[in-house]
Amino acid sequence: MQIDLPGNLCVVGLQWGDEGKGKLVSLLADPQGPCGRFDYVVRYGGGANAGHTVVIGEKKFAMHLVPSGIVWPEITAVVANGVVVDPEVMLTEISELRKKGVVVGKNLKVSSKAHLIFPYHKLQDKLSESQLGKGLIGTTCRGIGPCYADKATRTHGIRVGELYDRPYFKEKLERIVADKNCIFQALYGEEGFDPQEIYDQYCSYADQLEPFVCDTTELLHGALRKGERIMFEGAQGALLDLDHGTFPYVTSSNSTSCGLFAGAGVPPGCVSSYLGVIKAYSTRVGSGPFPTELDNQIGQYIRDRGREYGTTTGRARRTGWFDAVAVRYSAAISGITAISVMLLDVLAGLETIRIAVAYEYEGRTLEFFPADVHVLEKVRVVYEELPGWQDEIGDIRSQDQLPAEALNYLRRLQQVLECPIKIASVGPEKGQTIPITL
Ligand code: IMP
Ligand code: MG
């Protein structure tokens, strides 16, 4: 199998996350895989809110923080500065990986500039959600938003590198925890935290993480100079982007490819391929507008067949038809050069399949996605209906063996998205992948 994705590559989800990036990244990162060898796989944003499932033979890995490329010994996995690092999660993942026989040593690098998640971030996330009632965001409660907020306010953010100046870290932590405790008590009547306990805990984390910590910006620039090949692994999905997604029902980082340059410190010109990952339908976890949502039997059919339950939180995902208005937009923002359609097998058995091709709003037709919840809540979706196919396609390995209706569906997706589809996935195993040329 050969898939043409030249140069440095960015893989980004174009919907609301969970598009199957984990499978794809580990497939593409395979040195014997379909698009040649990569030297680095880099996470540039988000944190342990992400959930990447990677299946290799009998082994299944569920990773949140460590880039999925780690499973290949030839590859260096990099957690770059834009990621918010929960050291507890990271150390647990490292030990789980080691238990499953994956070597984790010099092949893992963590940026000294990445911000750290502390227990108070997680509590803040939970308490703030609990106050929102019906308007809750439905976060993963991993402390992501509060941590990025502290980074932006500057006075309350702590970076990985700061753990290694113990007196400085201690003093800073004491000041911050005192502030946080005031807020917890005043707003929520909560006790708060003992700074000494957090300090001891984080000193122990710091010791365990030390072998991995470095200036990943310098590392990546060195790699670029040597002509080594890099894959950037996006987390979440483009429609959850803090700026370009359905604010406020978004995550707190730039999950489009825009986040890559700030989140890894590399120049825009260094990436030549942008692979957009989509599901053959749509899903969303948590709150927020979802114009093509199917709150009915078809939605449940898709949820069951697609195993649409979150890897991070276990929540049932909301399901719906493919939304080409939304994906055309997110593909444009991310500069997508090729598309991979995941979970195509899930749609087998449906009589007809719909694609959202436009929205109607206040008597006008919108072809450009309005990333405004007030508009999105009121749009009427214009669908195109295509014939479905009945036979299972999980065992199919080449495009010409796909049912005509499935191929026709891909063809139509490619037309409405105005971007070439190069891969179709028909199951969770790496082998269940079909190179596509339409
Ligand atoms: P947060 O990132 O935990 O703050 O959650 C904000 C929103 O993004 C919520 O709707 C989450 O369900 C969603 N979200 C965050 N990470 C992921 C992901 O990896 N997949 C899908 N949804 C996510
Ligand atoms: Mg996920």
Side-chain angles (χ1 to χ4, degrees):
M1 196 197 319
Q2 200 62 36
I3 299 166
D4 184 34
L5 293 164
N8 295 326
L9 168 69
C10 173
V11 180
V12 53
L14 296 183
Q15 293 158 312
W16 284 285
D18 309 312
E19 295 89 352
K21 298 179 292 292
K23 162 179 166 169
L24 205 60
V25 169
S26 61
L27 170 83
L28 300 178
D30 184 341
Q32 260 81 55
C35 69
R37 186 196 149 98
F38 286 92
D39 302 290
Y40 294 86
V41 172
V42 181
R43 269 280 304 266
Y44 58 83
N49 49 350
H52 285 177
T53 312
V54 181
V55 182
I56 296 178
E58 300 289 282
K59 289 183 189 162
K60 188 169 171 179
F61 304 89
M63 281 177 282
H64 300 286
L65 210 47
V66 176
S68 28
I70 191 86
V71 297
W72 304 108
E74 298 88 342
I75 286 175
T76 302
V78 178
V79 176
N81 59 281
V83 177
V84 285
V85 173
D86 184 332
E88 187 188 352
V89 174
M90 175 153 271
L91 290 165
T92 307
E93 268 173 33
I94 292 170
S95 95
E96 290 293 314
L97 283 162
R98 284 177 173 157
K99 265 191 237 153
K100 290 184 182 166
V102 176
V103 175
V104 184
K106 283 202 186 99
N107 56 340
L108 176 65
K109 304 289 179 195
V110 178
S111 170
S112 54
K113 290 191 264 188
H115 278 249
L116 284 162
I117 297 212
F118 284 89
Y120 48 78
H121 289 132
K122 290 185 248 190
L123 182 61
Q124 243 178 301
D125 201 348
K126 205 173 88 199
L127 291 173
S128 137
E129 283 281 278
S130 71
Q131 299 282 303
L132 286 168
K134 241 180 76 215
L136 96 170
I137 295 172
T139 73
T140 57
C141 288
R142 298 296 157 105
I144 307 296
C147 182
Y148 277 118
D150 280 348
K151 174 178 176 177
T153 57
R154 292 148 294 160
T155 48
H156 287 59
I158 301 181
R159 311 211 290 191
V160 170
E162 292 175 80
L163 293 172
Y164 301 99
D165 182 342
R166 292 291 152 85
Y168 172 82
F169 170 52
K170 189 159 197 285
E171 204 184 308
K172 184 166 176 180
L173 184 69
E174 277 167 358
R175 169 177 60 78
I176 293 169
V177 173
D179 273 10
K180 298 279 180 191
N181 286 350
C182 282
I183 295 171
F184 285 131
Q185 273 148 22
L187 290 187
Y188 309 102
E190 285 271 340
E191 215 14 58
F193 295 88
D194 172 7
Q196 184 66 42
E197 215 172 281
I198 300 182
Y199 175 78
D200 293 340
Q201 186 72 71
Y202 275 66
C203 286
S204 147
Y205 293 152
D207 292 340
Q208 297 171 73
L209 284 178
E210 197 164 9
F212 310 115
V213 176
C214 70
D215 182 342
T216 58
T217 318
E218 182 181 3
L219 178 78
L220 293 175
H221 278 263
L224 290 175
R225 257 199 310 277
K226 281 186 265 172
E228 290 177 310
R229 192 153 172 238
I230 307 174
M231 185 191 310
F232 296 93
E233 173 182 357
Q236 287 82 45
L239 298 171
L240 290 170
D241 185 284
L242 179 59
D243 287 86
H244 305 292
T246 51
F247 186 88
Y249 303 103
V250 292
T251 191
S252 299
S253 61
N254 288 115
S255 50
T256 50
S257 68
C258 310
L260 189 169
F261 311 107
V266 295
C270 79
V271 178
S272 34
S273 299
Y274 290 90
L275 179 64
V277 190
I278 57 176
K279 280 180 182 170
Y281 47 91
S282 308
T283 64
R284 170 159 210 168
V285 211
S287 323
F290 187 177
T292 63
E293 184 163 16
L294 288 166
D295 197 3
N296 59 16
Q297 262 182 317
I298 299 178
Q300 189 58 41
Y301 182 78
I302 293 175
R303 184 174 306 111
D304 290 341
R305 290 183 47 94
R307 302 161 298 275
E308 294 296 354
Y309 298 88
T311 20
T312 301
T313 58
R315 289 181 288 180
R317 296 180 184 138
R318 300 157 66 192
T319 53
W321 295 123
F322 186 81
D323 189 340
V325 186
V327 172
R328 227 169 15 226
Y329 164 81
S330 54
I333 289 187
S334 281
I336 296 305
T337 59
I339 285 183
S340 178
V341 181
M342 314 303 284
L343 295 131
L344 184 63
D345 55 302
V346 171
L347 297 182
L350 294 170
E351 200 139 316
T352 55
I353 299 172
R354 291 176 159 199
I355 302 175
V357 289
Y359 296 160
E360 270 168 17
Y361 176 68
E362 293 183 340
R364 285 180 298 131
T365 302
L366 306 182
E367 275 167 11
F368 196 80
F369 182 75
D372 175 340
V373 294
H374 302 285
V375 176
L376 283 170
E377 269 153 13
K378 290 194 217 117
V379 296
R380 200 183 70 80
V381 180
V382 182
Y383 287 106
E384 217 175 81
E385 198 162 65
L386 282 79
W389 61 93
Q390 302 313 310
D391 296 342
E392 295 294 349
I393 58 174
D395 292 332
I396 289 178
R397 295 292 175 270
S398 75
Q399 169 180 330
D400 52 345
Q401 279 160 6
L402 280 172
E405 295 84 357
L407 202 55
N408 183 43
Y409 183 62
L410 290 179
R411 231 178 238 123
R412 191 61 193 135
L413 284 183
Q414 172 165 296
Q415 275 166 359
V416 291
L417 297 177
E418 297 164 13
C419 186
I421 292 175
K422 293 202 179 172
I423 303 169
S425 169
V426 293
E429 297 286 335
K430 285 212 293 184
Q432 294 176 293
T433 310
I434 309 174
I436 301 286
T437 315
L438 297 171

